[in-house]
Amino acid sequence: GNSVTQMEGPVTLSEEAFLTINCTYTATGYPSLFWYVQYPGEGLQLLLKATKADDKGSNKGFEATYRKETTSFHLEKGSVQVSDSAVYFCALSVLFGSSNTGKLIFGQGTTLQVKP
Amino acid sequence: NAGVTQTPKFQVLKTGQSMTLQCAQDMNHEYMSWYRQDPGMGLRLIHYSVGAGITDQGEVPNGYNVSRSTTEDFPLRLLSAAPSQTSVYFCASQRTGFNEQFFGPGTRLTVL
């Protein structure tokens, strides 16, 4: 079946530290991969995405590369800020039917806390 | 555009009560879905719809009903609430052929 596994949190870092949140997936076919972010008290927002192998998604200093050989999509940021404190979800999209629209399958989420 | 809106933001129910969580989007998206978010489990798909008049079950549909009479609205009904349905519920919409889903702000439901 299709599934997403993220590293367990919480992750606590000091400001300006390097961030990696691991994400691996299992999927049939060729899924699209996503990172969503959820700030406290809010809904989910798309952070970045990649639709095929070796694609790199990037946004707001965050990056993730679609690695088909290792079935991974790890999230990285070179220098985190306090404002990056949030819950981060890795997800994959599996197309269904002929609608070219995908269902999202989420990992369990990783809480990031950045301290000044 | 208001995007995806959900009402109410918070709700407390007693076991056995029924209620409807409202979801609306003004982006003319064909695809809409409902998720529940529970600690340590990420978001799990409850029901989804690929267009008006078409709905289908997701991963955890038991205890929930949906209908899609218009493109804009996708309400989620709890017929007889149970404590196991205490969760945060998110509605999302997506334009057919595009990858991004847009999420509402969520409804926090507590069933006593």
Side-chain angles (χ1 to χ4, degrees):
Chain A
N2 301 305
S3 65
V4 176
T5 302
Q6 290 179 235
M7 63 185 288
E8 295 228 4
V11 174
T12 302
L13 296 174
S14 298
E15 209 165 21
E16 299 184 1
F18 184 85
L19 168 71
T20 299
I21 300 178
N22 290 338
C23 171
T24 58
Y25 68 90
T26 302
T28 55
Y30 302 96
S32 294
L33 301 174
F34 306 83
W35 278 100
Y36 279 82
V37 59
Q38 183 181 29
Y39 297 105
E42 299 184 9
L44 277 71
Q45 304 173 24
L46 179 65
L47 180 59
L48 53 84
K49 67 181 180 183
T51 58
K52 61 182 187 298
D54 300 324
D55 269 1
K56 177 185 284 188
S58 61
N59 186 25
K60 299 182 181 179
F62 291 89
E63 293 182 340
T65 301
Y66 189 143
R67 301 285 188 201
K68 185 168 179 287
E69 63 275 13
T70 54
T71 61
S72 65
F73 193 55
H74 304 321
L75 182 68
E76 297 182 335
K77 187 174 186 183
S79 176
V80 294
Q81 305 300 312
V82 172
S83 57
D84 293 327
S85 298
V87 181
Y88 293 82
F89 291 93
C90 185
L92 65 83
S93 177
V94 179
L95 297 181
F96 60 95
S98 58
S99 66
N100 198 29
T101 302
K103 287 192 283 188
L104 283 176
I105 296 169
F106 287 88
Q108 71 269 37
T110 302
T111 299
L112 170 65
Q113 184 177 18
V114 181
K115 295 187 174 180
Chain B
N1 284 351
V4 180
T5 58
Q6 292 183 237
T7 55
K9 286 192 175 182
F10 302 94
Q11 183 70 51
V12 179
L13 293 177
K14 295 181 180 178
T15 297
Q17 287 185 315
S18 63
M19 80 159 295
T20 299
L21 278 63
Q22 301 292 344
C23 174
Q25 52 93 9
D26 62 358
M27 297 173 282
N28 203 31
H29 287 173
E30 299 87 355
Y31 177 86
M32 296 184 74
S33 54
W34 277 102
Y35 297 87
R36 59 177 290 172
Q37 181 182 22
D38 301 294
M41 302 188 75
L43 277 74
R44 292 180 292 168
L45 183 64
I46 304 172
H47 285 286
Y48 65 94
S49 169
V50 299
I54 307 170
T55 64
D56 205 347
Q57 296 180 350
E59 183 185 358
V60 289
N62 292 343
Y64 308 96
N65 277 355
V66 292
S67 60
R68 183 94 179 271
S69 57
T70 66
T71 299
E72 293 78 19
D73 300 302
F74 191 44
L76 179 72
R77 297 183 185 85
L78 284 71
L79 301 178
S80 179
S84 60
Q85 293 178 304
T86 294
S87 186
V88 181
Y89 292 84
F90 289 100
C91 179
S93 73
Q94 180 178 354
R95 183 175 171 188
T96 300
F98 289 79
N99 274 320
E100 182 176 357
Q101 286 196 19
F102 294 83
F103 284 80
T107 294
R108 184 174 294 274
L109 175 68
T110 301
V111 183
L112 302 175

